[in-house]
Amino acid sequence: MLDAPTSLSESRYWECIAACSRCALLCDFCAAACLRDVHAEHMLNCVAQDVECAEICRVAAAAMARDSAHVSAICELCARICEACATECEKHESDHCQDCAESCRHCAELCRELIS
């Protein structure tokens, strides 16, 4: 029988799952806030990065929760997309973009630690 955790919080992935989940939510919020911006046309790349980042973060969190055999590849991709999103969000002064960038950097860091 496998020596599996009895709860998600016991998983070796727990901290990274939490970071990915938080990042996905902040990316969703950032994308919606960018679309409400008076100059939304200037925020389209930010929105696109947010959407892609939120999706890969959800995939990564789910893969870790399942202890997927593909966790390393998924987390590597997640880290790269999080970094790209952070780079874009850092270009904008709004709080939601700065919060998103910070969360993306943290998520990327934990994903890379997990696979190293």
Side-chain angles (χ1 to χ4, degrees), residues 16 19-20 22-23 26-27 53 57 78-91 97-113:
C16 196
C20 285
R22 182 175 193 277
C23 188
L26 284 171
C27 285
C53 190
C57 284
C78 185
R80 288 197 324 253
I81 292 173
C82 282
E83 289 291 343
C85 188
T87 298
E88 177 60 32
C89 283
E90 287 169 345
K91 295 176 184 176
C97 284
Q98 294 301 311
D99 291 344
C100 185
E102 182 180 328
S103 182
C104 287
R105 295 266 185 231
H106 180 66
C107 185
E109 178 183 327
L110 290 182
C111 281
R112 287 204 172 98
E113 284 177 12

Side-chain angles (χ1 to χ4, degrees), residues 10-82:
E10 292 177 3
S11 168
R12 66 188 178 109
Y13 301 121
W14 175 244
E15 189 178 4
C16 196
I17 290 170
C20 285
S21 297
R22 182 175 193 277
C23 188
L25 293 173
L26 284 171
C27 285
D28 285 340
F29 183 84
C30 186
C34 286
L35 289 172
R36 288 189 298 268
D37 190 276
V38 175
H39 301 290
E41 67 277 4
H42 298 291
M43 302 302 285
L44 295 180
N45 191 40
C46 191
V47 172
Q49 293 291 330
D50 287 336
V51 170
E52 287 190 2
C53 190
E55 289 302 312
I56 192 61
C57 284
R58 286 186 185 92
V59 169
M64 287 182 276
R66 292 188 307 271
D67 197 16
S68 168
H70 304 285
V71 165
S72 292
I74 293 168
C75 285
E76 174 57 35
L77 179 59
C78 185
R80 288 197 324 253
I81 292 173
C82 282

Side-chain angles (χ1 to χ4, degrees), residues 1-6 66-67:
M1 177 149 244
L2 293 175
D3 196 16
T6 58
R66 292 188 307 271
D67 197 16

